[in-house]
Each structure stands twice: as structure tokens, then as C-alpha cells.
Amino acid sequence: MGCLAAPASPRRTIHDNDRGYGMTEQADRGAPRRRLRINPPVFFASSALTLVFVAFAALAPDTASTLFSAMQAWITHSAGWFYVLAVAGFLVFVVVLAVSDFGRIKLGPDHSEPDYSHGSWFAMLFSAGMGIGLMFFGVAEPIMHYTSPPVGEPATAEAARQAMRITFFHWGMHAWAIYAVVALALAYFAFRHDLPLTIRSALYPLIGDRIHGPIGHTVDVFAVLGTIFGVATSLGFGVIQVNAGLNYLFDVPTTVTVQIVLIAVITAVATLSVGLGLDAGIRRISELNMVLALVLLAFVLVTGPTVFLLQTLVQNTGMYLSNLFAMTFNLYAYEPTGWIGGWTLFYWGWWIAWSPFVGMFIARVSRGRTIREFVVGVLLVPVGFTFMWMTFFGDTALHMVMMQGLGTLAEAVAADTSVALFRFFEHLPLSSLTSLIATVLVVTFFVTSSDSGSLVVDMLTSGGAEDSPAWQRIFWAIVEGIVAAALLVAGGLGALQTATIASALPFTVVMILMCWGLARALRIESVKRLSLRHARVMPRGPHAAMSWQRRVRTMIHQPKRHEVLRYLEEVARPALAAVAEELSRQGLDARVDRDEADGREWVEVRHGDEIDFFYSIHPRAYEPPSFVLRDTRAERAEALKYFRAEVHLREGGQDYDIMGWSRDDVINDVLDQYERHMHFLLAVR
């Protein structure tokens, strides 16, 4: 089976210069856009299961809590080693991909460029990944580890060092490696091989077209439930912190009614952001998040013990790196403790439970980047910011408790972790202002989590469609808010959170399969690249040689669009038709087609279960060089644009122009590429 071939479909295959190869288009291209774009098995099954699950947790919270707690206890005791081993494997896997030759492969066609600048990309990674968690745990977790360490005496210098080492471990590269595995697999198969941007697509190299059947539907339904429950529980618990901030600032009462109102307001803002779309909504709010977070970070660094914080940042990072392997595989087997189940395994389960949501969102915004750039960006940049955040907030809090004798802060954290951040700001200047900024930041983090979660759920339930109607995304944003509110009223949030963690166990197996499928696909692509580079092809005869004078004229001339289209019509299309006719005589399924909208011409040779051959010629516009463009007005630049007749294969643009080639030159080039393709098929059989 050709594991990278796009599945058979009644839809016609087209090849778009901007979107990459292998896109699909409905035969009725001119038909009006549908008002409903769903994958019925996933959409209705997810909706029904959400209703049943939430009703159970809301109507029988005690029973649900008991059941799910028993499940989590069993996983902690019996499957903790599996979690630890799997998460370690995910980190090793993505690092190996980044440093290997696979790192040069793009998440998209070879000619694609990133959709977002580095700044916007990093902001969306940070906001969707764990921004709200830093607000909640930046002060609380180091203090809790300091007062109650897994081993050793509490409230000592060694306990403080261990507290920061553990905090770094829980929020470091392992968490982002989990996200990276899912995001990398989805982005690779969706943008480079034009499979739907859904979890099922990562399994295509293993089960082929069966991803479109019950197995694929089940995987996507599971991902939808994890996303809805993850976002809903975070929204439910998060409003408790927002309520605590408003109570601290404005004496707003801490009641369930207030929290329901907060959920409604946050959901309304998220709905507005969803309606604005990815660029105008999520991207801009994510950038606002980064600005506010940097303001708070700089404020704590300047007003806190600055030199101490810089020292501890260096020391904490060094301790984390030097103890990385020891901490990774430490299960406390020789000194049994329930601590690991409540902390490390809890975190690993939570990151895995969130990985369908965060991974798919990261994939959606990472098109056009190389695997190496992706891994470096996803692993190092957010982790670096997280380490600074945890050090500046956590070590400032530890400094207050250890060296300034503010034991009340530790007591406040132990009593209620939701108010830890606000009690922390009480001991710094401008506490009311910083608490207000922190409250706003918590809200905006929840907005980005809600609207990005809605985007992901909508893509899963619509079969990977990125252009579904806005009302579908709004529908899921409202559902998340309703689920959170219902469970908050019924007291079932705790049970649902525990169930979400327990559900991470089966999805860990899915992630392992995703790694296997991605590794298999990358190996085949590597073989193809080598075969294309080193294969011996039939040389063109001397009759095809171009005189040097003609070559100079071709190099200097900058043809307009109409010239390229005339060339494609008069030379290229007859050449492709001649090749297809001869291949058909030899018993192959070869055909020629064109796109009337932009003039693309292509020949396709289908090989059944093996990977098809595709050769297309695209009219592509370019800006004129600077020595031509002396008038910098936009309309002048548009008038001076020139075009090239560029060759594209299934992998994307090949960066060479055949404008001016003779009919025989084109025929020989097609045969050269086809011979290389046949060499590749032979290599992977």
C-alpha cells in the first residue's frame, strides 16, 4: 500500500500554488457555499456523548466523583510507569526529528511560507498551550512544593531548590513535547499530504483508507470530547480565580451566581473572537496576552529581588538540565508516595488530555515551517518564557517566605490556591493595579482557550474543513460555556476533571501510533528525496539543447501572464497530451487536465495502490527586480509583474521555469521526472 497516497475519492484533484498539492474540490465548484459543513458521525456522536456525560456528572456528582477517582487511582498505581515511559519517548522522538535530516522537511509544500510572523506564532503557542496555568500556578506550585516536598524536610533551602526543580520539570519540555507530537503529525499529513486536519489523519500510514470509517470516527469523537471537557473544566475552575480577583479588587461576592455570570461574559467575548476569525480574533487577543504577560513579568523582576531572581534563573535552569533524565524516569518506586500521582502523573495526564486541542491548534497556525523550526519554536521558546515566569514569580514568593518571614503567604496558598497570585501582589508596589492586570490577563487567556477550542472542535466535527460557517464555531463556543456552567452549578466539575485525566491513558496509545505513522511517512519521504536526487535518468538528446543566445533572451525576458498562458496552450498542453497518450498506449491510466481559472496544466498517472505521479505547470507571478522597478507606486509594481511557467510535483513547487522550452524539451522533462518517480516506487516496494 502506498501510505502517502491521498485516498480515493469521487472528488476531482486539483493543484493549487498557494495551498499545496493534492487539494480537493467538489465537482460543483460554482455551487453556492453550504450553510452546514459537518461530518455527521462525529458531530452527532460527540454532541450526544457530551450531553450524556455532562448529565451524569451534573445529576450524580458523588457517584461520578467516586467512579472517576477510582479510575485515576488505578491508573496511578498500575499504569504510572507507562505514562512516564511514553512521555519520555515523546520528548526523545521530537528532538531526534529536529536534529536529523527530517528537520529540513516543511509542514506544507516545498514552496510554502509560514502564515504568521514569529511574534504572532509564539504568542498563539503560548496562549493556547498553558498561559492560564502559569497565572494559577506561578506562585502556588513552588510554595506548595516548598512546604510539602515529595522527599526531605520542608521549609529548607534544599526544599526551595527542589521546589523549583520540580516546577520546571512539570512545566518544561516534556509538556511541550506532548503537544509537539500531536501538532507535528497533524500539520505534516494535513499540509504536506492534504489529508483532513483531524486526529484520524495521523493514522493513515498505518490503516490507510480505514481512517474514513468507524476507526477514524471513534478517534475524532474521542478528541472532541477531550477538547470540550478540557476547555469546560478549565473555564469552570478559572472563573473561580477571576471571582477571587474581583472579590479582592472590588469586593464582588464569591458565589456560584457570580461565577455563572462570569462564564457567560467570557463565553460572549470568546464568541465574538470566534466570529472575527483566526487572524482578527485569536491572533490579536494572543498578542495582547503576550504584552500583558511581559508587563507583569518585567514588573515582578524590577520590584522584586532582581539580583536573586537572575541568579536563581540561571541555577534553576542548570538544575533542570542536569537532572532531566533522573527526574524523567523517577517513579519513587523505592520510597512509595502518593505525591507523584497528585503531581507528576496528574500533569502528564492533563497535558495528554489537552493535546488533541492544543496540538491541533498549533498545527493550524504552523503551516509552512520546517520540522526543525517547528520543534525548536514549540520546545524552546514557550519553555524559556515559562522558566522566566516560574522563576520570577515562584522565587520571589519563596524569597518573601524564606528571607522576609512572610509566612502568611504560604498559609494563604495552602488555604486557597486561587487567591495565591493576589496575596502575592499585596507584598509588591501597586498591588491593586497589578491585580487588575492579572485578572484581565486571566480572562483573556480563557478567551483564547475557548475560541481556539471552538475552532478545533469545529474542524474535528466538520471533517477538517477550515472554512466552515462561523455559526458552527460559535455553536461550540456556547456549548463549552453551557457545559462549564451546568457542571459548576451541579458541583460536577471535579468529577469531570478527574475523568479527563483518566481518559489520557487510551489517548497515549493513540499518540504512540501517531509517532509510528509519522516516522514511517518521513522515512518514505526521505527515500523519495534521495531517489529524486541520485536516480539515473535517460539523458535528453542533442536536438533539445538550447542555443546560448536563445538562453540569454529567455533569462532576460520577463513575460506577462498572457504570454505564459499562450505558451501553456500552444506548447505545454500538447506536450503533456502527447506524454499521456503514449503512456495510455502502454496500459497506464494517464490523463491531462487544466484549471480554467488560472491556466494551470497538468498530467497525472495513476498507479492504483501505489503513489500516483503528478506533473503540473503553474503560471506564477513575481515582483519585478529592483533595477526594473524604479517607480515604487503599488499600481506600477502590479503592472510590471512578470510570470514564470513553474513545474510542480506532488511535493510542491520545484523552483524552475520552463517558459520558452520547446515541445520536445517539455516532453523530456516530464519523462525525466516520471522516471525518477518510478525509481522511487521501486525503492519502497
Side-chain angles (χ1 to χ4, degrees):
M1 178 184 70
C3 68
L4 296 185
S9 170
R11 295 178 291 178
R12 179 169 61 88
T13 301
I14 65 174
H15 298 264
D16 187 298
N17 181 61
D18 294 325
R19 290 278 306 156
Y21 64 87
M23 288 182 61
T24 54
E25 181 182 56
Q26 298 293 343
D28 55 345
R29 179 175 178 175
R33 182 176 171 182
R34 291 177 294 173
R35 296 182 179 179
L36 182 67
R37 296 194 64 176
I38 62 172
N39 182 6
V42 178
F43 185 92
F44 292 113
S46 301
S47 301
L49 288 174
T50 299
L51 178 62
V52 171
F53 207 85
V54 171
F56 174 54
L59 298 177
D62 294 336
T63 303
S65 179
T66 301
L67 175 62
F68 299 145
S69 296
M71 291 171 57
Q72 186 180 15
W74 178 86
I75 290 173
T76 300
H77 179 266
S78 303
W81 63 271
F82 177 70
Y83 269 134
V84 167
L85 201 59
V87 172
F90 297 149
L91 178 58
V92 172
F93 178 74
V94 295
V95 171
V96 168
L97 289 186
V99 301
S100 68
D101 289 339
F102 297 140
R104 292 194 292 267
I105 296 174
K106 279 193 173 184
L107 301 176
D110 289 340
H111 64 282
S112 60
E113 297 295 332
D115 292 337
Y116 301 97
S117 66
H118 283 94
S120 295
W121 185 50
F122 294 148
M124 287 189 282
L125 293 182
F126 175 76
S127 296
M130 54 184 62
I132 187 58
L134 299 184
M135 300 296 297
F136 197 88
F137 288 103
V139 172
E141 183 168 347
I143 291 294
M144 286 189 285
H145 293 323
Y146 172 72
T147 57
S148 182
V151 294
E153 293 294 324
T156 62
E158 176 55 33
R161 284 192 292 268
Q162 184 178 200
M164 293 309 302
R165 185 168 66 244
I166 292 170
T167 301
F168 272 34
F169 178 56
H170 289 160
W171 294 83
M173 289 190 290
H174 291 76
W176 284 95
I178 292 170
Y179 293 158
V181 164
V182 177
L184 192 57
L186 294 179
Y188 176 80
F189 288 110
F191 301 138
R192 194 161 180 85
H193 295 290
D194 195 44
L195 290 169
L197 187 59
T198 56
I199 301 295
R200 70 175 74 194
S201 296
L203 305 182
Y204 188 80
L206 304 179
I207 62 175
D209 288 342
R210 283 178 292 176
I211 66 169
H212 301 293
I215 297 177
H217 297 328
T218 301
V219 170
D220 281 351
V221 167
F222 190 82
V224 169
L225 295 178
T227 300
I228 292 176
F229 295 155
V231 173
T233 51
S234 292
L235 186 61
F237 284 118
V239 296
I240 297 174
Q241 187 179 27
V242 175
N243 197 176
L246 295 177
N247 176 263
Y248 175 80
L249 292 168
F250 308 113
D251 292 326
V252 174
T254 305
T255 64
V256 173
T257 302
V258 171
Q259 292 162 7
I260 296 298
V261 172
L262 290 173
I263 289 178
V265 172
I266 294 173
T267 301
V269 176
T271 301
L272 175 62
S273 178
V274 166
L276 292 174
L278 183 61
D279 290 337
I282 300 175
R283 179 173 67 87
R284 297 197 181 280
I285 297 178
S286 296
E287 291 170 352
L288 173 64
N289 289 344
M290 282 297 294
V291 171
L292 293 178
L294 287 172
V295 168
L296 283 183
L297 195 67
F299 173 80
V300 173
L301 174 63
V302 172
T303 60
T306 305
V307 175
F308 173 74
L309 295 180
L310 296 176
Q311 290 174 336
T312 53
L313 176 61
V314 174
Q315 184 170 335
N316 293 342
T317 305
M319 286 192 303
Y320 170 77
L321 294 175
S322 62
N323 290 276
L324 185 61
F325 285 99
M327 290 188 295
T328 296
F329 299 102
N330 186 9
L331 281 162
Y332 298 94
Y334 295 102
E335 41 194 0
T337 173
W339 180 92
I340 189 172
W343 283 104
T344 302
L345 296 183
F346 177 87
Y347 269 120
W348 287 179
W350 188 247
W351 302 143
I352 292 171
W354 265 62
S355 62
F357 153 46
V358 180
M360 184 172 292
F361 180 76
I362 292 175
R364 174 65 180 80
V365 300
S366 299
R367 181 182 185 271
R369 302 194 182 275
T370 64
I371 289 178
R372 181 171 297 119
E373 182 183 11
F374 173 89
V375 172
V376 170
V378 171
L379 280 192
L380 299 187
V381 175
V383 168
F385 188 90
T386 299
F387 284 179
M388 285 193 294
W389 185 280
M390 289 299 189
T391 296
F392 293 171
F393 280 79
D395 272 308
T396 299
L398 289 174
H399 187 275
M400 292 175 177
V401 174
M402 294 173 59
M403 302 178 185
Q404 299 178 27
L406 299 176
T408 54
L409 177 60
E411 295 171 1
V413 171
D416 186 357
T417 54
S418 66
V419 301
L421 185 63
F422 306 108
R423 298 302 181 192
F424 168 79
F425 281 131
E426 283 183 353
H427 304 289
L428 295 175
L430 305 174
S431 60
S432 296
L433 177 61
T434 53
S435 295
L436 178 62
I437 294 175
T439 303
V440 172
L441 189 55
V442 171
V443 172
T444 55
F445 272 135
F446 275 121
V447 169
T448 54
S449 294
S450 178
D451 55 14
S452 53
S454 305
L455 174 69
V456 167
V457 171
D458 182 52
M459 293 176 67
L460 285 168
T461 55
S462 61
E466 299 181 32
D467 58 346
S468 59
W471 75 262
Q472 289 183 204
R473 299 190 297 275
I474 293 173
F475 167 77
W476 289 114
I478 295 173
V479 166
E480 291 162 0
I482 292 174
V483 170
L487 292 174
L488 191 63
V489 170
L493 278 171
L496 187 54
Q497 183 191 40
T498 305
T500 303
I501 302 305
S503 70
L505 182 61
F507 195 75
T508 304
V509 178
V510 174
M511 290 181 63
I512 293 172
L513 295 176
M514 294 173 75
C515 292
W516 183 13
L518 180 59
R520 184 175 178 182
L522 290 174
R523 183 191 65 82
I524 292 178
E525 177 151 349
S526 178
V527 172
K528 182 173 185 179
R529 284 174 171 265
L530 289 174
S531 65
L532 292 175
R533 187 182 309 161
H534 301 298
R536 295 181 61 188
V537 298
M538 182 181 299
R540 291 183 292 175
H543 65 277
M546 182 186 295
S547 68
W548 69 268
Q549 294 93 342
R550 180 181 167 197
R551 184 176 179 183
V552 170
R553 290 196 301 271
T554 302
M555 291 169 57
I556 298 301
H557 181 56
Q558 296 175 351
K560 300 300 181 183
R561 176 180 171 82
H562 69 89
E563 296 179 75
V564 175
L565 293 178
R566 185 173 64 248
Y567 171 78
L568 295 180
E569 175 68 27
E570 297 176 356
V571 179
R573 183 172 178 80
L576 298 180
V579 172
E581 182 180 356
E582 183 59 33
L583 291 175
S584 297
R585 286 198 192 101
Q586 303 300 321
L588 296 174
D589 182 8
R591 62 193 67 185
V592 175
D593 208 341
R594 69 189 304 177
D595 189 301
E596 298 289 349
D598 58 14
R600 289 169 291 171
E601 307 274 356
W602 67 85
V603 61
E604 188 170 11
V605 185
R606 299 188 175 180
H607 288 272
D609 290 338
E610 294 187 308
I611 299 174
D612 299 334
F613 171 74
F614 178 84
Y615 180 104
S616 68
I617 307 169
H618 293 228
R620 185 174 180 183
Y622 284 88
E623 297 290 343
S626 58
F627 66 84
V628 173
L629 185 59
R630 302 186 185 280
D631 187 343
T632 58
R633 289 176 300 174
E635 60 272 18
R636 182 61 176 161
E638 185 67 26
L640 289 176
K641 275 185 178 179
Y642 70 97
F643 285 75
R644 289 169 25 126
E646 292 194 353
V647 171
H648 282 227
L649 302 178
R650 289 193 67 86
E651 293 72 30
Q654 299 304 298
D655 296 325
Y656 70 94
D657 177 23
I658 65 170
M659 180 64 184
W661 288 21
S662 69
R663 177 176 177 274
D664 287 342
D665 290 340
V666 177
I667 289 174
N668 281 306
D669 190 59
V670 176
L671 295 178
D672 285 349
Q673 296 291 1
Y674 186 62
E675 192 169 355
R676 291 187 177 97
H677 184 77
M678 293 297 290
H679 182 83
F680 157 67
L681 294 182
L682 180 64
V684 297
R685 283 174 185 159

